[in-house]
Amino acid sequence: MPSPSLKDQVLNALRTVNDPDIKKDLVTLNMIKSVVVGDDNAVAVTVELTTPACPLKKKIENDCRGAIETMVPGVGEITIEMTANVKQGQSLNGKAPIPGIRNIIAVGSGKGGVGKSTTAVNLAMALAQTGARVALLDADIYGPNIPAMLGLTGRPQVIDNRIVPLEKNGVRAMSMGFLVADDQPVVWRGPMLHGAMRQLLNDVTWGDRDYLVVDLPPGTGDVQLSLCQSVPITGAVIVTTPQNVAIHDAQKGLAMFRQLNVPILGIVENMSWFECPECGHRDHVFGRGGGQTFADNSRTALLGEIPLNSLLRKAMDEGFPPAADPAQEPYYTLYRDIAERVAQRVSILNSAQAPKPFAIVND
């Protein structure tokens, strides 16, 4: 029997490298897209991840390199290219996906004033910073804040009876705030809200997007129900602050998503502490550890803790989300970490090993 070729030896070595989340080897998962052997036994491998926001990208690359170096004698220079292809989210209960949108991530809360819109905007921006194709929908019909937070003004164009979203830092955005005057209230009942949601979802030229982040209004009302009944939502992020009153309401929001068979991606705790700019002392103004306890009791993940700081407030008021600007630390890194965890959990859900019931449980 002839000995295996160098290419086959490389593939065999890569069969020992598992995706850390899905727990299967990269070859079986069809994540090895090419193995090319060149002069002097140089090897070039292309690995296709399930998201460009993969927090374990460097580990997977190092594991591949280490397996080849250890198991393939005589190999030359090793080049590993890391690419990504985000999978289509699961279509639950026969709901048709929005054309071009692979995954819908809902951002909700049980009450207002906890920083939900700030979280949604920065999550979208952070995902885009990783190289993902991202859209952002402001579904808060009564109080649309996304235009101001993005620093976007003006009316979107309508081409062939479809709305062309505005764009900021590569994120395509749509909001009722683009369609009505700043001082004009939206006074609608449930059926009108349902019709508006359907139009904002389906009559917008989103293009090919890996993720559509949806900023929901506070509470558990008509807009949430309309969204969950109309389109397949890949998963939901719940935003809260640490104190008991906020968490009590956030629990209702989480329960609503689970009742509607929407997976919970995790919890973001806002206003976790205030750090004195003079002495560095941390004051836990709204309590301490509430988000972690909420996540533990809900059998889901605490995705991140965001401190209270006037720099964040100022950046959002002026339309410059810190997740889009590496100079705006620590928020750039904090939101990047949250985005990577969200993308990671979306990838797990979209794999054949998606855990059930509709929650991702901490290890």
Side-chain angles (χ1 to χ4, degrees):
M1 179 182 295
S3 59
S5 66
L6 188 63
K7 178 177 179 180
D8 289 337
Q9 292 181 63
V10 170
L11 283 171
N12 288 334
L14 293 174
R15 291 182 194 278
T16 68
V17 179
N18 282 349
D19 181 291
D21 293 318
I22 303 175
K23 312 300 184 187
K24 282 192 174 183
D25 73 87
L26 304 186
V27 177
T28 299
L29 291 171
N30 196 32
M31 293 171 65
I32 305 300
K33 291 304 174 183
S34 71
V35 175
V36 178
V37 178
D39 296 336
D40 299 322
N41 289 340
V43 171
V45 176
T46 301
V47 181
E48 184 179 86
L49 303 173
T50 55
T51 173
C54 178
L56 300 172
K57 181 188 298 184
K58 196 65 182 176
K59 171 177 170 51
I60 294 172
E61 179 181 349
N62 290 338
D63 288 350
C64 290
R65 187 180 303 277
I68 297 169
E69 288 175 342
T70 302
M71 300 179 64
V72 183
V75 70
E77 181 181 0
I78 302 171
T79 303
I80 299 178
E81 180 184 9
M82 306 296 287
T83 64
N85 182 28
V86 178
K87 293 182 179 179
Q88 178 74 47
Q90 298 180 13
S91 182
L92 302 174
N93 300 327
K95 298 170 191 168
I98 302 171
I101 301 294
R102 298 190 178 189
N103 295 280
I104 299 176
I105 300 171
V107 180
S109 66
K111 63 179 296 179
V114 297
K116 171 187 51 59
S117 295
T118 296
T119 300
V121 169
N122 283 288
L123 172 59
M125 289 291 163
L127 286 169
Q129 286 288 301
T130 71
R133 300 168 299 178
V134 184
L136 174 63
L137 173 60
D138 186 355
D140 194 344
I141 305 296
Y142 293 131
N145 294 315
I146 298 302
M149 290 182 172
L150 293 179
L152 290 174
T153 58
R155 295 282 187 269
Q157 289 184 296
V158 178
I159 299 176
D160 295 331
N161 294 321
R162 296 184 64 81
I163 302 170
V164 180
L166 302 183
E167 191 165 318
K168 179 71 173 283
N169 296 116
V171 174
R172 296 179 182 176
M174 187 58 208
S175 169
M176 185 60 67
F178 295 141
L179 305 177
V180 299
D182 290 343
D183 58 351
Q184 180 181 342
V186 177
V187 187
W188 287 348
R189 294 186 183 273
M192 297 179 71
L193 286 172
H194 181 72
M197 277 301 302
R198 290 186 64 87
Q199 282 193 298
L200 290 175
L201 287 166
N202 296 300
D203 293 348
V204 174
T205 305
W206 296 112
D208 291 329
R209 302 285 98 179
D210 298 316
Y211 307 101
L212 170 62
V213 177
V214 181
D215 176 33
L216 291 170
T220 57
D222 288 332
V223 171
Q224 288 86 341
L225 187 60
S226 179
L227 177 73
C228 294
Q229 290 179 336
S230 300
V231 294
I233 302 175
T234 306
V237 173
I238 308 295
V239 182
T240 187
T241 48
Q243 76 267 38
N244 290 337
V245 172
I247 289 173
H248 179 72
D249 289 336
Q251 288 170 335
K252 296 177 182 178
L254 185 147
M256 175 203 70
F257 282 118
R258 284 188 170 155
Q259 186 175 340
L260 295 169
N261 286 342
V262 175
I264 305 300
L265 299 172
I267 311 296
V268 172
E269 183 189 89
N270 257 335
M271 309 179 199
S272 298
W273 64 82
F274 170 74
E275 186 168 316
C276 176
E278 300 297 329
C279 66
H281 171 70
R282 288 188 177 184
D283 184 3
H284 293 83
V285 180
F286 297 106
R288 184 172 189 174
Q292 185 65 69
T293 301
F294 176 31
D296 292 343
N297 291 341
S298 303
R299 287 176 55 79
T300 188
L302 180 65
L303 298 169
E305 297 171 313
I306 304 297
L308 180 66
N309 192 300
S310 60
L311 295 177
L312 176 60
R313 189 274 308 160
K314 185 173 185 289
M316 299 308 294
D317 279 352
E318 295 177 356
F320 296 102
D325 180 7
Q328 293 199 54
E329 290 289 8
Y331 290 102
Y332 178 83
T333 296
L334 289 171
Y335 284 118
R336 176 72 171 250
D337 290 345
I338 290 172
E340 288 180 347
R341 292 178 188 128
V342 168
Q344 178 184 37
R345 300 173 96 74
V346 167
S347 293
I348 294 172
L349 277 171
N350 289 342
S351 74
Q353 290 73 35
K356 292 179 173 42
F358 295 94
I360 303 175
V361 180
N362 282 330
D363 294 333

